[in-house]
Amino acid sequence: MTVRYGVPGISARPTWFPAPAVARTAPLGATKKPLPLIIDSDPGLDDALAIGLACARPELDLLAVTTVGGNADVRHCTENALRLLHRYGRDDVPVAEGAAGAILGEVIRAPEIHGVSGIGNTVLDPSPNAARAEGAVELIASILRSHPEKVAIAPVGPLTNIALLIRLHPELVDRIAHLSIMGGSIGEGNKTVSAEFNIYADPEAADVVFRSGIQITMMGLDVTHQALLDGAAVERLRKTDTASGGVAADLVDFALARERAWYDAPAAAIHDAVAVAHLAIGDLVSVAEYHVEVDVTHGPARGRTVCEGYPRRLARSGQVVNAQVGIHLDPKRFEDVLVDAYARLP
Ligand code: BDR
Ligand code: CA
């Protein structure tokens, strides 16, 4: 049998180029030297798990959570961020609210997936804190300005705040150690056949970010669809016997109900946690190099992340690699990482 590019039974060249795994460029936190990190997020079921993961991992020093309108109205996202941090025992982490919606075009939401509140049916106790008055972009800017080290950012919602930061404070771009983004896809999207939700929700902002020259890891659907939790994982989260573990179990349960109803699927992807996990665990996610360009036209490919990894075409076009893209993770290990994190939280 003919085998080409590892695909048995065909002699034709496949219509996709499987770029090889390379050494990561993303910085890696260590317990002795935690990585300073800001999460920019639209919580969001999977955002909530990503924030919990960052709170629990000793390799990460969570400096702030900023919010952006996406899965839910930004006011819900901000309240969710405050209450989640309170639940996770991290009232010390400041929260600031950012853009309500895309820079251009319509405001996109996902209540059919995350519920109108953004966190399904879960009701959390109020936080004693309020969101910081300066807003998301200015809070990120002041942290970048004053922190002794460069700071990593994990944007796990639409990229509106990050694009505004780049445009309002270009002098601070080189204070960003890395962007570990959840968004995009080498293959098909989820919001449309072409586009993943976070990129579709603000393609112009994503375009600014991918052209910025900042070091980027893109955790797209290709890898986050391997980051699955099923009913058995929900039981493991519940059995952590922590209140935070119970919250995580409820959030994943809500996501699972939709997966079963829509796709008859037994597991839900916890997309956003992948972008955070990569900064704490060196060998969880393998990455490959691509030139990523965002389609900002208004046709059927709007919001697509066009990922070019084929060396000959890159050389011909003069395009340069601007991102590492997640291609593989071990689902069992990912599940263990989340269960372990929620066992450590209050
Ligand atoms: C992304 O879209 C949102 O609904 C999730 O929180 C995640 O960030 C997945 O496409
Ligand atoms: Ca999100």
Side-chain angles (χ1 to χ4, degrees):
M1 181 187 290
T2 313
V3 178
R4 289 191 63 173
Y5 288 87
V7 181
I10 63 163
S11 58
R13 189 155 55 86
T15 53
W16 43 271
F17 176 73
V22 295
R24 59 182 283 149
T25 56
L28 185 61
T31 306
K32 284 196 178 147
K33 195 173 185 322
L35 182 71
L37 172 67
I38 297 170
I39 295 183
D40 186 64
S41 163
D42 57 338
L45 304 169
D46 56 329
D47 305 73
L49 273 91
I51 293 168
L53 180 61
C55 290
R57 293 295 305 204
E59 303 91 340
L60 301 175
D61 178 12
L62 184 60
L63 302 177
V65 174
T66 52
T67 63
V68 60
N71 291 323
D73 185 287
V74 72
R75 284 164 301 177
H76 288 311
C77 296
T78 305
E79 191 57 34
N80 293 341
L82 286 163
R83 290 182 181 220
L84 285 161
L85 287 166
H86 183 53
R87 172 67 282 155
Y88 298 152
R90 293 299 304 272
D91 284 330
D92 59 303
V93 176
V95 170
E97 185 167 294
I103 294 169
L104 296 177
E106 59 175 320
V107 170
I108 312 276
R109 299 280 180 258
E112 69 285 9
I113 296 172
H114 298 264
V116 172
S117 77
I119 52 169
N121 298 326
T122 302
V123 179
L124 297 167
D125 290 340
S127 160
N129 294 336
R132 294 274 290 262
E134 65 264 48
V137 175
E138 293 311 313
L139 177 61
I140 299 173
S142 73
I143 293 172
L144 292 176
R145 216 176 276 125
S146 60
H147 201 279
E149 290 166 51
K150 293 188 179 190
V151 174
I153 306 178
V156 295
L159 287 161
T160 320
N161 289 340
I162 308 303
L164 290 170
L165 174 78
I166 291 167
R167 287 294 189 253
L168 284 165
H169 298 286
E171 77 286 1
L172 295 175
V173 158
D174 68 1
R175 301 296 306 151
I176 300 174
H178 202 86
L179 295 175
S180 186
I181 294 173
M182 191 284 131
S185 177
I186 303 170
E188 290 186 3
N190 55 1
K191 179 67 185 174
T192 71
V193 66
S194 304
E196 180 280 331
F197 176 84
N198 287 340
I199 307 298
Y200 187 79
D202 197 343
E204 282 74 19
D207 187 43
V208 168
V209 171
F210 277 95
R211 288 176 192 276
S212 67
I214 303 170
Q215 280 208 354
I216 290 175
T217 301
M218 175 182 121
M219 297 302 183
L221 300 177
D222 322 279
V223 72
T224 67
H225 278 186
Q226 302 165 45
L228 299 169
L229 295 188
D230 61 8
V234 169
E235 285 322 302
R236 288 185 70 197
L237 285 167
R238 259 190 229 297
K239 281 195 186 131
T240 58
D241 272 342
T242 65
S244 298
V247 167
D250 290 346
L251 296 170
V252 179
D253 241 351
F254 190 90
L256 277 176
R258 189 271 323 248
E259 290 297 320
R260 289 189 194 108
W262 286 15
Y263 307 111
D264 200 20
I270 312 300
H271 309 274
D272 294 345
V274 180
V276 169
H278 189 55
L279 301 173
I281 304 165
D283 59 350
L284 181 68
V285 186
S286 44
V287 294
E289 293 189 321
Y290 286 88
H291 172 84
V292 180
E293 186 166 350
V294 180
D295 189 305
V296 291
T297 63
H298 289 268
R302 179 167 175 76
R304 181 177 172 204
T305 46
V306 181
C307 296
E308 174 62 283
Y310 186 55
R312 278 179 196 277
R313 280 196 306 255
L314 280 169
R316 264 204 308 266
S317 66
Q319 290 171 321
V320 292
V321 166
N322 63 350
Q324 294 198 332
V325 178
I327 50 174
H328 181 261
L329 66 69
D330 174 356
K332 180 73 183 95
R333 218 175 135 209
F334 176 76
E335 177 184 317
D336 289 347
V337 164
L338 282 179
V339 172
D340 167 75
Y342 276 86
R344 297 185 201 191
L345 290 172

